[in-house]
Amino acid sequence: MSKQENITLLRVGIFMAIGLAVIAAMVVYFGRFGDAVRGYYDIRAEFPDASGIYKGAGVLLAGAKIGIVGNDPVILPNMDGVSVNLKIYDDVEIPSKSQFLIGSSGMLGDKFVQIALDSDAKGSPPIARNTTVKGRTGAGLSELTTKADAMMSEIMDTVANIKSITANLNTTVFTGTTMGDLNTTIANLKQTSASFADSAKKLDGVITKAEGAIGTGDEALKSAKATAESAKAAADELKKTIADVRGLVQQTKQGKGALGALLMDKEMADNLRALVANLRRHGILWYKDKSAPPDAGR
């Protein structure tokens, strides 16, 4: 073998070794063997039912793989579910306000542990290592099948009840006599409705007349109110006049005023009588009362 052939074979061997090394690194990094050699910490999760979970199943947080299931499910001592050991990567911290669920990739896909974050999970402290958490089982195909069977059973019972009720109606209610009575009742109800409509129309006329009477009564009430106000004003005026007359009479009794002086002062009354007699005898300007006696003023 020549020197040139040896160099070519050496180059091919080096290229193949590099390729095999790259493939091995990819297998280690992307395969489960990489999970085994990667650093992690443990969290114990308890589920009421972990059907489909097995050792090596993935642990996902928001769809990203953050660890693996370290063992097959183990039944709890109180028979209240199972527990699995979750191996979480060292560089991942899980908020304490998180929910651990059993999820599946599709209806018939592989099961995995799904970690769901609550709305306020970001501000919560991380879960301590080697801590036990409570999980719950998501709605899988078996659970959906069980619920569907129970629902179908209820639907069948309901359909059977409907059939029984329909049969009872056909045999006891919808008979010839019952249907005749029902038709008669409907006819009577129709006639009663018509009579009620006629009565309603008459009642409308009565209401209209009552409204007119009420309007007339309002006008009469207004007129009576105005008359009462006028009577009150007249009574007030009469009361004022009587008060004035009483005042005049009181002044006359006391000798005040011209009338009081004439009535109370006899001398002034005689003088006034003499003045009147003189005026009648001698007259005012060209007037003279010829019928006056000659000595009327004496």
Side-chain angles (χ1 to χ4, degrees):
M1 184 178 293
S2 64
K3 184 178 180 181
Q4 184 65 32
E5 291 177 348
N6 291 332
I7 293 173
T8 301
L9 292 174
L10 180 61
R11 290 177 179 175
V12 172
I14 293 173
F15 179 77
M16 291 183 63
I18 294 174
L20 292 174
V22 171
I23 293 174
M26 293 178 64
V27 170
V28 171
Y29 183 79
F30 293 104
R32 293 180 179 176
F33 181 74
D35 293 332
V37 299
R38 189 172 181 179
Y40 60 86
Y41 63 92
D42 294 335
I43 292 179
R44 185 169 178 265
E46 297 180 353
F47 296 96
D49 184 3
S51 300
I53 292 295
Y54 56 89
K55 182 180 179 180
V59 179
L60 305 183
L61 175 62
K65 186 176 181 179
I66 62 169
I68 60 173
V69 176
N71 64 294
D72 292 333
V74 178
I75 298 177
L76 295 175
N78 57 2
M79 302 296 291
D80 195 19
V82 296
S83 66
V84 293
N85 188 37
L86 306 180
K87 295 182 177 294
I88 309 300
Y89 297 150
D90 276 332
D91 56 346
V92 177
E93 292 184 344
I94 303 174
S96 58
K97 291 186 178 180
S98 300
Q99 298 182 21
F100 289 76
L101 310 172
I102 300 296
S104 62
S105 56
M107 297 294 291
L108 300 176
D110 295 336
K111 296 294 184 68
F112 55 87
V113 177
Q114 174 68 40
I115 300 176
L117 300 178
D118 292 339
S119 58
D120 56 346
K122 294 182 179 180
S124 61
I127 297 176
R129 303 188 178 200
N130 300 319
T131 302
T132 300
V133 296
K134 295 290 184 179
R136 59 186 180 89
T137 304
L141 180 61
S142 59
E143 185 177 356
L144 292 177
T145 303
T146 303
K147 291 183 178 180
D149 292 340
M151 186 178 297
M152 287 300 299
S153 177
E154 292 180 359
I155 292 174
M156 294 301 295
D157 292 340
T158 304
V159 171
N161 292 332
I162 292 174
K163 288 182 178 179
S164 177
I165 293 172
T166 302
N168 291 331
L169 290 175
N170 290 330
T171 56
T172 60
V173 178
F174 297 130
T175 60
T177 303
T178 305
M179 292 302 296
D181 294 339
L182 182 61
N183 292 331
T184 303
T185 302
I186 293 174
N188 293 333
L189 181 61
K190 184 177 181 181
Q191 183 178 1
T192 302
S193 300
S195 300
F196 182 75
D198 294 337
S199 300
K201 292 180 180 178
K202 295 179 181 179
L203 183 61
D204 291 338
V206 173
I207 292 174
T208 303
K209 293 180 180 179
E211 290 178 350
I214 291 172
T216 304
D218 290 339
E219 293 179 357
L221 182 60
K222 292 179 180 178
S223 300
K225 185 177 180 180
T227 303
E229 291 178 354
S230 300
K232 183 180 179 181
D236 293 339
E237 188 67 25
L238 178 60
K239 185 177 180 181
K240 184 178 178 181
T241 303
I242 292 173
D244 293 339
V245 170
R246 287 180 178 177
L248 181 59
V249 171
Q250 189 67 24
Q251 290 179 2
T252 303
K253 289 181 178 180
Q254 295 176 358
K256 297 179 181 180
L259 182 58
L262 290 175
L263 294 176
M264 302 301 294
D265 192 348
K266 186 176 182 301
E267 182 180 358
M268 184 175 180
D270 292 339
N271 293 334
L272 181 60
R273 190 178 301 109
L275 176 61
V276 171
N278 290 330
L279 289 175
R280 292 181 63 184
R281 185 173 60 251
H282 302 289
I284 301 173
L285 296 179
W286 296 281
Y287 171 79
K288 183 178 181 181
D289 190 0
K290 295 180 180 181
S291 63
D295 51 356
R298 297 178 182 179

